[in-house]
Amino acid sequence: ATADVLSLGSEDPRKMDGLVLRHPVESGKVRRIGVEEISAAEPLLEEILRDGRPVSDPPSIESMRERRLSDMGRLDPGVRRLVNPHRYHVSLSQGLWELKRELTGTVNLL
């Protein structure tokens, strides 16, 4: 795993021709990931309830455990270590970053 990105509901990073990842606070920090660099992408959120009703059967404890171990195994060792770990950054998509700038009344620099 190299990045987590928060995006608008109308954006699907899996269908984009690469990603522009924006730092949520520092406007000058931008990272671009080309489509050829993306080997896999998955949503961080999954729909569990719709209109107050379950949309599927809940996963078993064992399947949740296996997924967690798999997810942890994909993280960089520097992020997983307990002493002086690297920070795992979460970025904003370009669309979400622009909406944030619009709502806060700040000028779009890019």
Side-chain angles (χ1 to χ4, degrees), residues 25-36:
V25 178
E26 298 181 34
S27 62
K29 289 190 176 182
V30 180
R31 180 178 172 198
R32 289 171 175 77
I33 299 177
V35 68
E36 69 281 353

Side-chain angles (χ1 to χ4, degrees), residues 14 29 107:
R14 297 170 294 179
K29 289 190 176 182
V107 177

Side-chain angles (χ1 to χ4, degrees), residues 72 77-86:
M72 291 296 291
V79 174
R80 292 185 306 203
R81 69 179 176 227
L82 297 177
V83 177
N84 297 323
H86 293 163

Side-chain angles (χ1 to χ4, degrees), residues 65-80:
R65 179 181 181 277
E66 288 173 12
R67 181 172 179 177
R68 181 197 163 276
L69 291 172
S70 173
D71 288 346
M72 291 296 291
R74 290 186 293 175
L75 291 173
D76 183 272
V79 174
R80 292 185 306 203

